[in-house]
Amino acid sequence: MAGTKPTFNLSEIAAYLDEPRTVGQMYEALQPHLHGLGLTANKTGEDYTISRLMPSPAYILSTSEEKRLNAYLSLDTMPSFLEAAIEQYISRKTGKEWSDSIILERLRRAIVAQKDDYWKPTGKRSLQYTKGYSVLGYLAYHFPVYFMQARHLFAQLARDGLLKQQMTILDLGTGPGVMPLAIEDFWMCLDSARSTVLSVERSKEHIEAFEALTRSVAIQDPQVKIESPKEADITLPRDIPLPENVDLMIFSNVLNELAGLPVAERADIVMSYGEKLAPDGMLLIIEPAEEATSTGLRVLALALKKRGLSIYAPCTFIWGTNCTPDRCWSFQTASSIRPTRIMNSLAGCNEQFRYVNSDIKYSYVILRKDGKVRTSCQIPKNTKALRLSKIHMNVGKRITVVAAKMSEDIGDADTHLYRLCDGSAEKPVYAVLPAFHIVPSNRELGSVPYGTVLELRNVLVRYNPVHDAYNLLVSRNTAIRMLGQGDPGQ
């Protein structure tokens, strides 16, 4: 019926049923499936009007917004009012000035305890954030970097045309509200986009901090409406009442805390939330860049892909195959932030390096429900490119490959090194570019953004037994050109 006309009354389908049903019975049976069919129902008297869901139009950045966004991303500090709000909250919670030597020492202990716990084996972690100082330590050490790196992710969504004029956003495991506050801050770069942000958090201490910080920075007539978080455990999605047609769901630095669960169980949890996505909705999962956590994200992303979601970015499956993600250590970087006043005060001790967190390095994946991908690479017809899955058969040979650049420079000034992936490799593959071999024909390797698909002609294959990986040596005779665009602005 929905395929024949844009709207109809639910009672109209009674004639097609084998057994008589009332409108109420039909609605009860169909209601759980309407969202998946891209339909909505509105009660009209004794009947229901069924119509197609009309998604909010995409938000396209104007020239002035692009300029504003560039200036925004160049900032290296949190907004001063938010930094002050965190300081005031710590002072209020402790009953002393945040800069008091006793408070600073307690914050140091909380930060060290969190870091030590994070590096424990997966099954022995106990990251709960249930006590006051664990949350205060999080605010002092983790919050600033997580807040600032969110700007780069939202900029990618905006520049790719993935934001909408009106959005419903759900932040799962919101903590003290890093992402909702980052959304409110970012949306102020946009002239007319609006959103409603819902969130879920199990820690009462985090919720208290969330409420205090969002109240302290609230403005009149905001573009972003931040709802109070629901107190719940995100591992029990069926127990949480959630809206339909969510445009964006975010898991920010939270799924790694469930690493004790098998990958299949974590994927099931994520997919349960995915049922509430709009037909063109997306999931954004962000994790730290540390190797085990980053590779764990790739394993989870592939499990979600096999369950029907598409990986929009950063991965590009050039040959239509699935990669070997357990060795895929791939992360994004951006300019470091300036340490906050609290970090500088915490660093006034013998081990100052333990208390300054300013590097922006993160792993992420964007998954979509509608199959859309960021880069759909078409290999030129005349290109005889070798799949990276066949690289072991070509050691010592010069070859041509098509692959995505999946890291910034992880080498040094003498030898530049970049991770490559075409979605088929069984072992890690790196492009190695010695500084003395840099010429105009291969210089693009270093300048193109993360995620860009490249054609590399005439590279020499070498095997690295120490790391059980393959290197593609880029020389003066190598030609490199871009085939697909990566992350803009990075």
Side-chain angles (χ1 to χ4, degrees):
M1 185 72 77
T4 61
K5 49 186 176 180
T7 63
F8 61 94
N9 290 328
L10 185 57
S11 58
E12 293 180 54
I13 69 171
Y16 298 93
L17 303 181
D18 294 331
E19 298 179 8
R21 293 286 188 272
T22 66
V23 168
Q25 290 172 330
M26 288 190 288
Y27 177 75
E28 184 178 356
L30 290 171
Q31 192 275 333
H33 307 286
L34 290 172
H35 168 66
L37 294 169
L39 302 174
T40 184
N42 293 301
K43 191 166 178 51
T44 50
E46 298 298 319
D47 211 335
Y48 288 86
T49 299
I50 309 298
S51 56
R52 296 172 188 160
L53 289 169
M54 299 301 293
S56 178
Y59 192 87
I60 306 301
L61 295 174
S62 66
T63 302
S64 61
E65 286 173 318
E66 271 287 0
K67 292 179 179 178
R68 194 182 310 149
L69 192 53
N70 287 333
Y72 177 75
L73 293 175
S74 70
L75 300 175
D76 62 357
T77 57
M78 274 201 312
S80 57
F81 60 84
L82 183 54
E83 185 174 355
I86 290 173
E87 293 170 349
Q88 291 164 11
Y89 181 72
I90 292 174
S91 296
R92 181 169 65 80
K93 281 287 288 183
T94 61
K96 292 178 178 287
E97 284 297 315
W98 66 266
S99 55
D100 183 278
S101 59
I102 295 175
I103 303 305
L104 291 174
E105 185 56 33
R106 290 175 179 172
L107 288 173
R108 290 187 189 106
R109 291 175 187 169
I111 292 168
V112 170
Q114 288 172 21
K115 293 168 73 173
D116 288 348
D117 201 27
Y118 179 81
W119 291 107
K120 288 179 181 177
T122 299
K124 296 184 178 180
R125 289 186 187 178
S126 58
L127 291 166
Q128 298 293 327
Y129 304 109
T130 56
K131 297 180 180 178
Y133 271 96
S134 63
V135 173
L136 301 184
Y138 185 98
L139 291 172
Y141 186 81
H142 294 291
F143 190 108
V145 162
Y146 290 165
F147 178 90
M148 295 294 283
Q149 75 185 24
R151 294 179 168 188
H152 299 279
L153 287 158
F154 294 141
Q156 177 176 334
L157 298 181
R159 286 168 167 164
D160 282 10
L162 299 184
L163 300 184
K164 298 180 181 179
Q165 190 73 38
Q166 178 67 50
M167 296 185 72
T168 298
I169 302 174
L170 175 62
D171 184 30
L172 294 147
T174 190
V178 178
M179 296 306 285
L181 288 164
I183 291 167
E184 182 175 57
D185 189 61
F186 183 87
W187 257 244
M188 287 192 286
C189 293
L190 310 178
D191 290 333
S192 59
R194 292 183 173 269
S195 64
T196 299
V197 184
L198 312 170
S199 54
V200 178
E201 173 56 45
R202 67 178 177 180
S203 164
K204 287 184 170 62
E205 288 284 347
H206 266 322
I207 291 174
E208 181 184 341
F210 179 112
E211 298 282 19
L213 293 177
T214 53
R215 282 197 306 269
S216 67
V217 301
I219 59 175
Q220 288 188 339
D221 190 28
Q223 286 177 258
V224 176
K225 181 182 179 183
I226 301 177
E227 302 279 5
S228 294
K230 299 179 186 296
E231 183 183 340
D233 186 338
I234 67 166
T235 64
L236 304 170
R238 302 297 182 190
D239 296 343
I240 306 172
L242 297 172
E244 302 285 350
N245 298 308
V246 176
D247 299 297
L248 170 62
M249 290 185 183
I250 302 173
F251 294 87
S252 176
N253 301 289
V254 64
L255 290 177
N256 73 84
E257 296 180 11
L258 308 180
L261 296 177
V263 173
E265 288 188 28
R266 279 181 282 148
D268 288 343
I269 290 170
V270 174
M271 291 302 294
S272 292
Y273 288 105
E275 294 173 4
K276 299 292 185 178
L277 282 172
D280 58 351
M282 57 189 163
L283 284 160
L284 171 60
I285 306 176
I286 314 159
E287 296 288 14
E290 174 269 323
E291 183 174 6
T293 302
S294 180
T295 54
L297 172 60
R298 301 294 164 224
V299 173
L300 176 62
L302 188 57
L304 293 169
K305 180 176 182 285
K306 291 177 179 178
R307 282 165 166 76
L309 296 178
S310 63
I311 297 179
Y312 173 84
C315 305
T316 302
F317 298 91
I318 295 168
W319 300 101
T321 57
N322 289 325
C323 60
T324 307
D326 56 326
R327 294 194 65 190
C328 183
W329 186 15
S330 169
F331 55 88
Q332 177 66 292
T333 64
S335 299
S336 298
I337 68 169
R338 191 184 308 171
T340 62
R341 288 185 292 267
I342 294 179
M343 284 187 201
N344 285 328
S345 296
L346 289 168
C349 63
N350 294 331
E351 298 179 300
Q352 55 183 283
F353 66 90
R354 302 185 92 179
Y355 309 107
V356 174
N357 186 19
S358 59
D359 292 340
I360 295 186
K361 296 180 179 180
Y362 58 91
S363 295
Y364 79 95
V365 64
I366 300 170
L367 301 117
R368 289 185 62 92
K369 196 173 181 179
D370 59 7
K372 186 175 182 179
V373 296
R374 189 165 198 253
T375 302
S376 181
C377 178
Q378 295 293 322
I379 298 177
K381 292 182 179 179
N382 296 328
T383 299
K384 294 182 179 179
L386 183 80
R387 297 190 186 203
L388 294 183
S389 60
K390 304 293 185 182
I391 199 169
H392 63 285
M393 301 166 61
N394 291 269
V395 174
K397 298 179 182 179
R398 292 188 175 275
I399 62 171
T400 294
V401 299
V402 173
K405 174 184 170 182
M406 294 303 291
S407 77
E408 301 300 338
D409 189 355
I410 52 178
D412 53 36
D414 295 325
T415 305
H416 305 286
L417 189 68
Y418 305 91
R419 178 71 183 259
L420 298 178
C421 181
D422 70 351
S424 75
E426 296 177 2
K427 294 183 179 181
V429 179
Y430 299 90
V432 181
L433 175 56
F436 63 85
H437 273 302
I438 296 177
V439 293
S441 64
N442 63 33
R443 191 183 304 276
E444 201 166 32
L445 177 63
S447 62
V448 298
Y450 177 92
T452 301
V453 177
L454 298 168
E455 178 191 73
L456 297 87
R457 287 184 174 273
N458 197 26
V459 288
L460 178 63
V461 181
R462 289 179 174 171
Y463 175 65
N464 184 335
V466 175
H467 296 97
D468 191 22
Y470 292 94
N471 293 335
L472 300 180
L473 180 61
V474 179
S475 69
R476 296 167 184 264
N477 298 319
T478 300
I480 295 177
R481 66 186 179 113
M482 183 173 69
L483 297 182
Q485 181 62 43
D487 187 359
Q490 290 293 322

